[in-house]
Amino acid sequence: MLSLAPRAAGGWARLPSACGAAAVLRPSPWVEKSPADHAAFTRPCSSQKKVTRVCVRNGYSFGRLDLLGRRGSPLAHASVFCPFNLPKYKGKLDMSLFPVENIRNFSIIAHVDHGKSTLADRLLEITGTIAKTDQNKQVLDKLQVERERGITVKAQTASLFYNYEGINYLLNLIDTPGHVDFSYEVSRSLSACQGVILVVDANEGIQAQTMANFYLAFEAQLAIIPVINKIDLKNADPERVEKQIEKLFDLSKEECIRISAKLGTNVEKVLQEVIEKVPPPSVNIDDPLKALVFDSTFDHYRGVIANIALFGGEIQKGHKIVSAHTGKTYEVNEVGILTPNERPTHKLYAGQVGYLIAGMKEVTEAQIGDTLYLHKQPVEPLPGFKSAKPMVFAGMYPVDQSEYNNLKSAIEKLTLNDSSVTIHRDSSLALGAGWRLGFLGLLHLEVFNQRLEQEYNASVILTAPTVPYKAVLSSPKLIKEHRKEEITIINPAEFPDKFSVSEYLEPIVLGTVITPDEYIGKIITLCQARRAVQKDMVYIDEHRVMLKYIFPLNEILVDFYDALKSHSSGYASFDYEDAGYQTADLVKMDILLNGNSVEELGTVVHKDKAYAVGKAMCERLKDAIPRQLFEIAIQATLGSKVIARETVKAYRKNVLAKCYGGDITRKMKLLKRQAEGKKKMRKIGNVEVPKDAFISVLKRQSEK
Amino acid sequence: WPYCQKRCSYCNFNKYIPRGLDEASMRSCLTQEARTLIQLSQVHRISSVFFGGGTPSLASPQTIAAVLETISRCAHLAADASRLAEFRASGINRLSIGIQSLDDAELILLGRDHTAHEALGTLEEAKKLFPGRTSIDLIFGLPGQSVASWTKGLEELLQQCDDHVSLYQLTLERGTSLFRQVQQGSVPAPKQEVVAEMYEVAREMLRDTGYRQYEVSNFARNGALSAHNLSYWQGSQYIGIGPGAHGRFVPRAHGENLREARIQTLEPDSWMKEVQAFGHGTRKRAAQGELEVVSVSQYLQWVSPLLPHQHWLQFAPSLSLWDVFGTSVEVKELEDQGLLLLDNRGLRCSWKGLAVLDSLLLTLLNQLQQSWEDR
């Protein structure tokens, strides 16, 4: 028998039961002081009864009994016991109930939209972690941008409690972002896991991100549970997907679980597979404390909240801990588990995953990958993570300079939770003071921008993204100046000319395209136009092909994804991973207005692309610069060679004077306003260029 | 006269379609406001009276006569001042006829309620009644209009018209039906290049026919300049009477020495109530600062470069024209391009410069403001 009641006094939950029997109600353990009551709560739910609803609202929890599980027949051997019925120690959850062998740490990985978050919602519901309602959509995706785009940006963790064959298990679900831009986040999350659920859409089959995510898990030597989702769809073809999985991942058909996360079909089976197939963490509670920081968030009231995975020992309030990275000592204020909101616990033990608050003031103090140990009991630090390396840069400026400080504080707040964004102050004669920001990838950039707009109501000018080029210097003078031979060029103004450089390098990526075979021709043509070199081409089933290409990163930055989608009627998927640098024939292109160079429009381009880029920029400028009293030549140049030119013709007529009595007032007002605007224009030689013209040339062209 | 029979598709003036109009009380209000404001200005001699609208010819000659009579009773009115005949009898001495176009399709597009043929008939009659004092208004730069069709119409009119022509480029005003049609794409937007060509060709045709361009839009031969417009451009005072009328004069009766810009209440019924209550319906008064007076006066000089203007020094005795513009690099550039002329007759734009005056004005007004502040 199960008893559930509001956490605080003030209400008794009514438990409807199908057979009309009255349910016994008792105060919740959360307010229970008497140790005598513990026994009642340690008892698992009766195996025939299943809690299908547990609501958590403002700290109140109550549940309902349902004699028949809504999802069909009651399960004979597995059931859920309520997480908030756990025994307490001094009013806090007692985690000692979960020895290492009863712990499973796992992630769900999938291509975007294959149903990872929906599966997570179901797992949370089945285990009673959240209430089962129709509103549970992407519960772990807390950000507005995540819900809108159906993606996960910031990994979230949730501890689930599950009774299987009479044993209480602690299942730590570590949610991962689904996109390659966040592969750093994925690798962090995976390092705290021993297994993954690999979700594949029964209709779409294996997609590019499925591949990328599989390899991340495979390389980390994790147990992999293949799950074929959306079998309820009309076009579902699980047999075909099973064959793909067999061929590409070398996992047998029999291992695949066919589910519908949306309807809940077979989802319990997934949980049971997690228990059966994922090994418990191999750690020892008797070792000294060894905790891995795998994520961190910032809370305005409580400071840094570090997500930790314990690889040895135990941790509790009052412990003195040391960061292996900084050597700083902290006193632990609070530890707990995430459900997915923070729930304080008495202790955390080896093998468990949870959070820690220890008076850290800045996220940089909780370095991802850092190891924490007990004061005076140092341990060998865990191997660190590769640090996130920005691959896409873009200038960010306030639309109005008076907004500079607001934008600055918004960016600072956002980066508190996202240490992978790099920030350099920058200023442009045309756009004023701003920043050059480095992102992990394009999606990362877009998400950052969207979060600024949605969460901080900031409106910004975002310049077209660029990649970090490199130059190997040959001029001794420059080498001395930079104190190194190889320099990274983020700002085109710093581009050294070819006489002082032995070679230029550009970043490249290994791109994976998966497409139905009828689009191969078009896609190969597209890739070639992007200077890509084919590395591999494999049929993953009778109709689908996986192509691998080395792309210059720059070539996929702007509209590659859209082009790919439009060349394949939306069926092709794409993903990429960092592949280092290669030599490239780079040039700096200048834009001249009547012979005067416009500094902020200088661009580094590949020589083969200079003409097209120059022409496009000249055309955009032509449309954006208003006519003036003289002709304006807009030129794109490489050194002294003009590669593109457009002309803005002079005004022949610009007078509308029609001034009689009343009109003078109106006309003078209009002229005054225009004269004020004229003062604000940026003058390049004698050419007046409005800010809008710069924006239209510099900003990202297409919204994706 | 704020009333029209019909709304033209391009017009955003303060105008109303009359419903149960009481012309007698409108008339008494117009005369009342005229009396009040003339007394306020303490002006003794009035050189011209201009009836605008709306459609002033919809007012009965009786109303026109009453207004003129009131004005001449309050101040000395210069003596050199079908329906047209009645208007003449009531004291009207100059007519401006809104022909706009000789193409009936264009007249429909503009929402006019007359044909080209009817307009030419009125022109004939007006010329007989007001010889040498009949002007025509034309609009160019219409959607779909070609340079050829524009010049053909202009050519035909130049054979029939009197000594004064006004050419207006169509401006698409927000809130008009033509603006909406262009926005929606149901009629094409006029092309900048084409409009520029129309203006240039028209200026040349008028020059070759003996007309002198004395203002951006106005052309006259045989000295038939519009006396009324001239006094605007020469910076004289003017009193605006009637709903939505603008005026600029010094309210000396209040002991003021600065010019005020005044706007009368827009809406006829409210305006009438105010006139009945206070003798006038002035809704907005704004004293004009020195810089503004100078700017406006300079602006007017630039708009009408061929007119004799009151000397710069009258407005700005402490600052010479040379101080303001003689040292400016930008002004020098414009001179070098042949757009501006600066000599002892003053600073004015050339024939070529007049066509791009709006661009020149921005430089000139900024320069004037700068020097004024640095003075």
Side-chain angles (χ1 to χ4, degrees):
Chain A
M1 155 168 343
L2 174 70
S3 308
L4 286 172
R7 175 180 166 186
W12 294 91
R14 199 184 171 92
L15 303 180
S17 76
C19 58
V24 179
L25 294 170
R26 256 190 227 177
S28 145
W30 290 94
V31 288
E32 224 19 88
K33 295 283 190 299
S34 152
D37 272 75
H38 280 169
F41 301 121
T42 50
R43 228 167 63 203
C45 307
S46 144
S47 65
Q48 298 300 322
K49 292 177 185 172
K50 188 168 140 220
V51 174
T52 54
R53 277 169 191 245
V54 174
C55 304
V56 179
R57 275 194 224 112
N58 308 325
Y60 288 72
S61 67
F62 53 93
R64 293 187 188 171
L65 289 175
D66 205 339
L67 293 177
L68 267 180
R70 263 185 54 187
R71 293 203 179 100
S73 62
L75 289 147
H77 58 296
S79 69
V80 177
F81 66 98
C82 175
F84 311 122
N85 265 352
L86 291 170
K88 297 292 184 310
Y89 182 86
K90 291 185 181 167
K92 285 179 178 167
L93 287 175
D94 180 2
M95 296 301 287
S96 67
L97 244 120
F98 300 98
V100 173
E101 61 271 21
N102 292 354
I103 297 174
R104 302 290 182 271
N105 295 329
F106 70 103
S107 272
I108 308 176
I109 55 178
H111 188 78
V112 65
D113 268 353
H114 280 195
K116 185 187 66 168
S117 296
T118 312
L119 176 58
D121 290 348
R122 287 301 89 75
L123 296 181
L124 262 56
E125 284 171 14
I126 290 179
T127 55
T129 310
I130 57 168
K132 199 215 148 296
T133 72
D134 292 339
Q135 273 84 53
N136 289 335
K137 295 210 171 111
Q138 292 178 262
V139 170
L140 294 183
D141 293 342
K142 290 181 182 168
L143 303 175
Q144 186 184 347
V145 52
E146 292 178 321
R147 286 157 181 265
E148 277 175 15
R149 291 178 175 240
I151 55 169
T152 304
V153 174
K154 189 83 186 153
Q156 300 282 348
T157 295
S159 294
L160 320 175
F161 304 93
Y162 190 66
N163 183 286
Y164 178 57
E165 293 178 342
I167 300 171
N168 290 338
Y169 286 94
L170 171 64
L171 308 179
N172 294 308
L173 164 57
I174 295 162
D175 199 17
T176 62
H179 191 272
V180 64
D181 276 5
F182 305 104
S183 65
Y184 175 63
E185 298 245 356
V186 177
S187 74
R188 268 188 229 166
S189 307
L190 293 187
S191 69
C193 299
Q194 286 74 45
V196 295
I197 300 172
L198 177 66
V199 179
V200 186
D201 183 308
N203 175 25
E204 291 188 1
I206 289 178
Q207 295 294 321
Q209 279 169 39
T210 322
M211 295 298 299
N213 285 321
F214 169 78
Y215 284 116
L216 282 172
F218 187 73
E219 281 163 20
Q221 299 183 327
L222 305 181
I224 295 171
I225 300 168
V227 163
I228 298 170
N229 188 22
K230 306 197 191 179
I231 54 165
D232 56 306
L233 290 186
K234 217 168 57 192
N235 299 323
D237 187 355
E239 285 82 25
R240 186 175 57 95
V241 179
E242 280 169 1
K243 278 183 205 156
Q244 291 178 354
I245 289 174
E246 226 171 23
K247 177 159 186 185
L248 289 172
F249 303 147
D250 204 18
L251 296 167
S252 79
K253 265 188 218 176
E254 289 67 37
E255 290 178 74
C256 297
I257 310 173
R258 296 183 186 185
I259 68 161
S260 163
K262 192 175 146 202
L263 304 179
T265 319
N266 266 343
V267 174
E268 294 251 13
K269 180 93 198 316
V270 176
L271 273 181
Q272 290 152 18
E273 277 291 287
V274 167
I275 292 168
E276 299 279 358
K277 277 179 76 175
V278 177
S282 61
V283 295
N284 194 336
I285 199 160
D286 300 324
D287 285 349
L289 172 70
K290 191 182 213 180
L292 169 78
V293 178
F294 66 92
D295 200 0
S296 65
T297 51
F298 183 80
D299 182 290
H300 277 282
Y301 303 102
R302 302 198 284 173
V304 175
I305 301 174
N307 289 6
I308 53 170
L310 267 67
F311 284 75
E314 55 178 63
I315 193 165
Q316 72 178 90
K317 183 176 174 176
H319 276 172
K320 281 229 163 77
I321 54 161
V322 181
S323 148
H325 180 69
T326 62
K328 279 195 195 169
T329 306
Y330 302 92
E331 187 178 316
V332 177
N333 297 331
E334 185 179 321
V335 292
I337 54 166
L338 297 149
T339 62
N341 299 318
E342 289 122 27
R343 291 262 172 226
T345 60
H346 175 52
K347 286 183 180 181
L348 284 177
Y349 298 91
Q352 295 177 354
V353 170
Y355 70 95
L356 159 141
I357 300 174
M360 294 172 177
K361 295 278 181 291
E362 287 177 25
V363 242
T364 48
E365 292 178 78
Q367 283 276 345
I368 311 304
D370 196 1
T371 303
L372 306 174
Y373 56 84
L374 281 180
H375 187 55
K376 289 185 179 157
Q377 294 183 51
V379 296
E380 176 76 9
L382 292 151
F385 294 70
K386 62 173 180 186
S387 63
K389 185 173 53 173
M391 289 309 284
V392 174
F393 290 83
M396 187 172 270
Y397 299 87
V399 170
D400 188 318
Q401 278 294 312
S402 65
E403 290 288 306
Y404 179 87
N405 283 324
N406 293 342
L407 183 56
K408 185 175 172 221
S409 93
I411 290 175
E412 280 169 357
K413 282 181 194 151
L414 257 188
T415 48
L416 273 182
N417 268 330
D418 189 351
S419 52
S420 52
V421 179
T422 63
I423 308 173
H424 296 281
R425 277 239 294 279
D426 199 0
S427 75
S428 145
L429 290 166
L431 304 177
W435 302 267
R436 183 150 282 268
L437 303 181
F439 300 95
L440 301 176
L442 259 195
L443 181 72
H444 188 203
L445 178 155
E446 280 174 15
V447 163
F448 188 87
N449 188 32
Q450 198 176 335
R451 288 186 66 186
L452 268 183
E453 285 176 4
Q454 288 176 344
E455 294 168 37
Y456 297 93
N457 201 20
S459 58
V460 298
I461 299 165
L462 198 61
T463 66
T466 58
V467 299
Y469 293 109
K470 285 182 176 175
V472 180
L473 300 173
S474 61
S475 138
K477 192 174 151 252
L478 280 180
I479 294 172
K480 205 174 160 193
E481 217 172 273
H482 290 280
R483 294 207 210 102
K484 55 186 171 190
E485 243 178 77
E486 191 179 280
I487 58 164
T488 302
I489 308 147
I490 291 169
N491 187 337
E494 298 157 0
F495 192 74
D497 67 46
K498 63 180 175 193
F499 304 109
S500 43
V501 163
S502 59
E503 60 177 353
Y504 295 110
L505 303 168
E506 65 177 335
I508 52 172
V509 295
L510 176 63
T512 303
V513 176
I514 293 182
T515 176
D517 55 4
E518 66 250 54
Y519 306 111
I520 291 180
K522 281 183 182 171
I523 289 175
I524 290 180
T525 311
L526 170 69
C527 292
Q528 279 166 352
R530 303 298 175 120
R531 299 194 285 124
V533 179
Q534 201 182 89
K535 289 289 166 195
D536 198 5
M537 181 165 140
V538 187
Y539 269 84
I540 62 171
D541 60 25
E542 297 88 66
H543 300 297
R544 279 166 192 263
V545 180
M546 177 169 73
L547 300 156
K548 295 218 173 206
Y549 275 91
I550 290 284
F551 284 93
L553 175 58
N554 184 45
E555 294 289 337
I556 57 166
L557 273 195
V558 177
D559 55 359
F560 178 77
Y561 192 68
D562 279 2
L564 183 72
K565 285 282 174 196
S566 75
H567 280 96
S568 66
S569 311
Y571 285 114
S573 66
F574 177 69
D575 207 342
Y576 64 90
E577 59 190 281
D578 188 7
Y581 276 76
Q582 70 181 13
T583 57
D585 203 353
L586 301 176
V587 286
K588 182 174 174 211
M589 186 177 71
D590 289 305
I591 298 289
L592 311 185
L593 295 181
N594 281 354
N596 296 300
S597 161
V598 189
E599 194 195 309
E600 46 270 69
L601 299 182
T603 325
V604 176
V605 287
H606 191 272
K607 208 170 169 186
D608 296 350
K609 288 297 173 88
Y611 172 74
V613 173
K615 187 164 176 287
M617 283 183 86
C618 289
E619 281 169 0
R620 257 179 266 142
L621 272 175
K622 185 191 173 180
D623 292 337
I625 297 179
R627 289 184 176 212
Q628 289 167 37
L629 291 166
F630 39 81
E631 194 171 279
I632 303 165
I634 304 167
Q635 295 166 311
T637 60
L638 300 179
S640 57
K641 191 175 148 212
V642 177
I643 56 166
R645 179 190 162 124
E646 292 287 336
T647 307
V648 176
K649 284 193 192 153
Y651 268 129
R652 286 177 60 198
K653 177 182 190 305
N654 180 27
V655 58
L656 282 172
K658 182 164 71 171
C659 69
Y660 303 96
D663 264 316
I664 294 180
T665 314
R666 250 173 73 176
K667 180 87 186 178
M668 288 303 288
K669 246 189 212 158
L670 183 68
L671 283 170
K672 233 181 195 164
R673 214 168 47 230
Q674 289 176 344
E676 281 306 313
K678 183 185 169 81
K679 283 189 204 161
K680 285 187 191 141
M681 295 228 205
R682 170 129 153 76
K683 281 197 105 176
I684 309 286
N686 57 352
V687 181
E688 285 165 346
V689 187
K691 190 173 167 183
D692 286 353
F694 284 101
I695 295 172
S696 77
V697 177
L698 290 174
K699 80 164 185 213
R700 302 202 48 212
Q701 290 305 310
S702 43
E703 298 306 325
K704 262 125 239 173
Chain B
W1 190 256
Y3 300 107
C4 289
Q5 261 168 359
K6 180 173 187 294
R7 279 177 220 282
C8 297
S9 66
Y10 57 95
C11 173
N12 74 336
F13 284 176
N14 181 40
K15 61 186 183 298
Y16 302 86
I17 308 298
R19 238 179 257 132
L21 167 67
D22 176 1
E23 187 164 350
S25 56
M26 185 71 190
R27 182 186 310 135
S28 83
C29 285
L30 285 169
T31 54
Q32 174 62 53
E33 188 171 54
R35 266 194 303 276
T36 315
L37 296 182
I38 292 170
Q39 273 157 19
L40 176 65
S41 73
Q42 300 189 347
V43 162
H44 300 297
R45 185 180 182 281
I46 285 174
S47 54
S48 62
V49 180
F50 178 87
F51 289 87
T55 308
S57 57
L58 290 181
S60 68
Q62 209 187 339
T63 297
I64 303 290
V67 171
L68 287 173
E69 207 181 296
T70 310
I71 292 173
S72 61
R73 243 187 275 131
C74 297
H76 177 255
L77 188 58
D80 45 292
S82 92
R83 198 149 183 148
L84 292 188
E86 285 176 62
F87 279 130
R88 188 176 66 166
S90 61
I92 293 291
N93 63 4
R94 186 178 185 278
L95 277 190
S96 179
I97 302 171
I99 291 182
Q100 316 309 8
S101 167
L102 281 192
D103 181 328
D104 284 339
E106 286 173 2
L107 289 172
I108 290 170
L109 177 70
L110 291 172
R112 304 287 298 182
D113 64 349
H114 58 84
T115 62
H117 181 75
E118 286 164 353
L120 289 174
T122 309
L123 174 60
E124 274 314 299
E125 196 190 341
K127 266 165 49 180
K128 279 182 204 136
L129 289 165
F130 304 94
R133 305 186 68 91
T134 299
S135 176
I136 57 170
D137 285 357
L138 293 176
I139 298 183
F140 66 97
L142 304 175
Q145 190 179 36
S146 70
V147 177
S149 69
W150 160 242
T151 46
K152 183 172 157 282
L154 184 60
E155 203 161 11
E156 193 181 334
L157 272 169
L158 286 181
Q159 287 163 13
Q160 304 185 42
C161 69
D162 202 14
D163 290 342
H164 193 280
V165 176
S166 301
L167 304 182
Y168 299 118
Q169 180 186 329
L170 175 72
T171 47
L172 291 169
E173 303 284 359
R174 198 169 281 280
T176 63
S177 79
L178 197 57
F179 178 87
R180 275 193 297 279
Q181 291 170 51
V182 171
Q183 287 278 301
Q184 288 161 1
S186 56
V187 300
K191 294 223 169 44
Q192 213 184 22
E193 273 303 302
V194 175
V195 175
E197 179 75 15
M198 287 177 181
Y199 186 61
E200 200 169 300
V201 172
R203 289 174 80 192
E204 280 162 13
M205 283 170 68
L206 281 153
R207 186 177 58 188
D208 297 346
T209 344
Y211 288 86
R212 225 163 58 112
Q213 181 175 16
Y214 68 98
E215 192 261 352
V216 169
S217 305
N218 286 281
F219 301 80
R221 65 182 172 192
N222 303 326
L225 284 63
S226 160
H228 190 81
N229 285 347
L230 273 184
S231 53
Y232 283 142
W233 299 326
Q234 287 173 323
S236 309
Q237 301 189 83
Y238 52 93
I239 296 173
I241 291 158
H246 287 243
R248 277 177 189 234
F249 62 87
V250 184
R252 298 222 181 262
H254 288 171
E256 298 286 342
N257 287 316
L258 277 181
R259 251 190 214 202
E260 275 184 6
R262 289 177 161 251
I263 305 173
Q264 310 308 106
T265 294
L266 287 177
E267 205 274 313
D269 291 341
S270 340
W271 171 82
M272 274 200 252
K273 284 194 191 102
E274 287 167 39
V275 174
Q276 281 154 4
F278 314 112
H280 66 86
T282 302
R283 176 55 64 95
K284 196 179 163 198
R285 298 166 49 191
Q288 292 190 278
E290 269 187 302
L291 174 61
E292 199 178 346
V293 174
V294 174
S295 303
V296 171
S297 118
Q298 276 305 304
Y299 165 69
L300 295 167
Q301 284 193 31
W302 291 320
V303 176
S304 50
L306 297 186
L307 297 180
H309 284 278
Q310 298 179 50
H311 201 270
W312 164 268
L313 284 178
Q314 189 186 329
F315 292 104
S318 61
L319 199 65
S320 86
L321 200 61
W322 186 259
D323 288 339
V324 176
F325 300 110
T327 53
S328 158
V329 182
E330 285 181 83
V331 172
K332 183 75 175 53
E333 274 174 16
L334 297 173
E335 272 189 273
D336 291 346
Q337 286 174 257
L339 299 170
L340 279 180
L341 301 166
L342 177 63
D343 58 22
N344 50 14
R345 275 180 53 211
L347 176 72
R348 59 204 187 280
C349 58
S350 66
W351 161 269
K352 190 176 144 200
L354 192 58
V356 292
L357 186 66
D358 281 7
S359 293
L360 305 181
L361 283 171
L362 301 182
T363 305
L364 296 174
L365 289 173
N366 275 343
Q367 185 61 41
L368 178 58
Q369 191 193 0
Q370 189 63 47
S371 311
W372 193 268
E373 283 163 4
D374 295 348
R375 175 170 64 129

